[in-house]
Amino acid sequence: MTPRTPAFMIAGLLVAVGAHAAWPQTPIGLLGDRVAPQSATHSVAIGPNTRYVNVSYGDTVRFVANGESFGYDFDGAWSVSSFDLRRVAPPGMLDRRVMVYIEPDEYNSGA
């Protein structure tokens, strides 16, 4: 921005940035469903260097980390493409953000 940028433009930019930061998260009920780990079709180990995992819409996954596990069915809203796995993991299981990226199924991909 130049020294001549009007104050109202700067204020508008700050409001827009602040509104985005305060955007509400997707409700947990729209992310999918917690399931028994035994019902999962495959397992994903979350190690100390894991920063993200990829799944497909409809996958039922058993996540294993720090000696604990939980199952999750990624059958939530088709518009959800990613979220922090800590939101659905048992409390204290993950000590950092691990993003889960959901590949849409063939019916909801928009193709």
Side-chain angles (χ1 to χ4, degrees), residues 1 7-23:
M1 303 211 180
F8 72 89
M9 290 180 72
I10 294 171
L13 178 62
L14 292 174
V15 168
V17 170
H20 176 58
W23 198 268

Side-chain angles (χ1 to χ4, degrees), residues 9 11 17-18 24 32 34 36 38 48 55 59 67 77 80-81 84 90 98 107 109:
M9 290 180 72
V17 170
R34 197 70 111 39
Q38 301 84 341
V55 301
D59 278 354
V80 175
S81 61
D84 185 347
V98 175
Y107 301 108
S109 67

Side-chain angles (χ1 to χ4, degrees), residues 19-95:
H20 176 58
W23 198 268
Q25 291 184 339
T26 301
I28 290 200
L30 296 179
L31 301 179
D33 296 298
R34 197 70 111 39
V35 297
Q38 301 84 341
S39 67
T41 56
H42 63 279
S43 292
V44 172
I46 298 174
N49 296 321
T50 305
R51 299 291 173 233
Y52 66 90
V53 295
N54 294 313
V55 301
S56 294
Y57 182 86
D59 278 354
T60 303
V61 181
R62 177 180 179 245
F63 291 100
V64 181
N66 300 319
E68 296 182 60
S69 68
F70 76 100
Y72 206 76
D73 187 0
F74 292 92
D75 64 349
W78 62 267
S79 60
V80 175
S81 61
S82 66
F83 63 90
D84 185 347
L85 195 57
R86 289 180 299 182
R87 294 191 62 205
V88 297
M93 183 174 169
L94 299 174
D95 58 359

